[in-house]
Amino acid sequence: MKALRIKWQYAVIALLAVSAAAFGLLRPQLLPTASSTKQKLSATDRIRQNPPPTLFTDAEITPIGKQAAAQREKADALFAQWKKAHGTTRDDKAFAAWAARQIPAPPTAKDRTAELHQVQALAKTRTAAGKKAATWLELNGKKDVWKLYLHDQRELIPARQ
């Protein structure tokens, strides 16, 4: 009977493969991962870590609020027309077609140019404080601020409301 001879290179490769597999299986138990060491922070904790700068004044926000209120009034009036004509019966296809007809035509070239000039004029009025506030809101205001606001409101408003 001939003895089975294995080349030494194959033995080394097999040893390395077994070592790598063992390391891969044991590593999670040996080293704590980044996700296991960090606990999930609440919205309050995230805002405490990165508090908001002074945000916009009421005078800065009021014109935007007026524009939003005007749009809301128009939307409410349009929906009241839909509801009067169609009632509350669900008809997604008809509603989608009706809603598409309510969208105004794209602005003319003259209107787009006027809007561009408004944006360019607005850019000249930006301050460092305003940029800082806008940046903070972009990074943190998407949901953390609103979660905190909702949490605070729940503490102040009776449950029945």
Side-chain angles (χ1 to χ4, degrees):
M1 225 172 159
K2 277 188 169 182
L4 182 64
R5 297 190 85 198
I6 300 175
K7 291 186 176 183
W8 69 270
Q9 294 97 334
Y10 295 129
V12 170
I13 291 171
L15 181 63
L16 287 173
V18 169
S19 299
F23 179 76
L25 292 172
L26 296 176
R27 183 178 176 274
Q29 287 80 25
L30 299 175
L31 301 172
T33 60
S35 62
S36 67
T37 57
K38 290 183 183 177
Q39 69 183 64
K40 188 173 181 180
L41 298 176
S42 69
T44 305
D45 294 334
R46 286 191 296 271
I47 291 172
R48 277 192 193 126
Q49 283 183 345
N50 184 14
T54 301
L55 298 178
F56 303 102
T57 65
D58 289 343
E60 292 171 312
I61 294 174
T62 299
I64 297 168
K66 288 178 182 177
Q67 289 175 350
Q71 289 178 347
R72 187 177 313 108
E73 286 175 20
K74 184 176 180 180
D76 289 345
L78 286 170
F79 184 73
Q81 291 173 4
W82 164 265
K83 189 175 174 183
K84 185 177 178 182
H86 297 276
T88 57
T89 304
R90 184 176 178 160
D91 187 352
D92 292 346
K93 189 174 181 179
F95 182 78
W98 171 84
R101 288 190 305 273
Q102 305 312 310
I103 298 172
T108 64
K110 182 181 177 183
D111 291 339
R112 287 194 311 269
T113 302
E115 289 174 359
L116 179 61
H117 290 308
Q118 286 177 333
V119 171
Q120 290 168 340
L122 179 65
K124 293 176 185 175
T125 66
R126 292 190 178 125
T127 63
K131 289 178 185 176
K132 185 176 181 181
T135 302
W136 188 90
L137 284 169
E138 174 64 24
L139 295 173
N140 301 288
K142 291 178 181 160
K143 60 181 181 178
D144 291 345
V145 171
W146 307 118
K147 282 183 180 178
L148 185 60
Y149 176 77
L150 179 63
H151 177 268
D152 291 348
Q153 289 301 304
R154 284 184 179 148
E155 290 179 352
L156 299 173
I157 297 174
R160 60 177 160 51
Q161 290 182 344

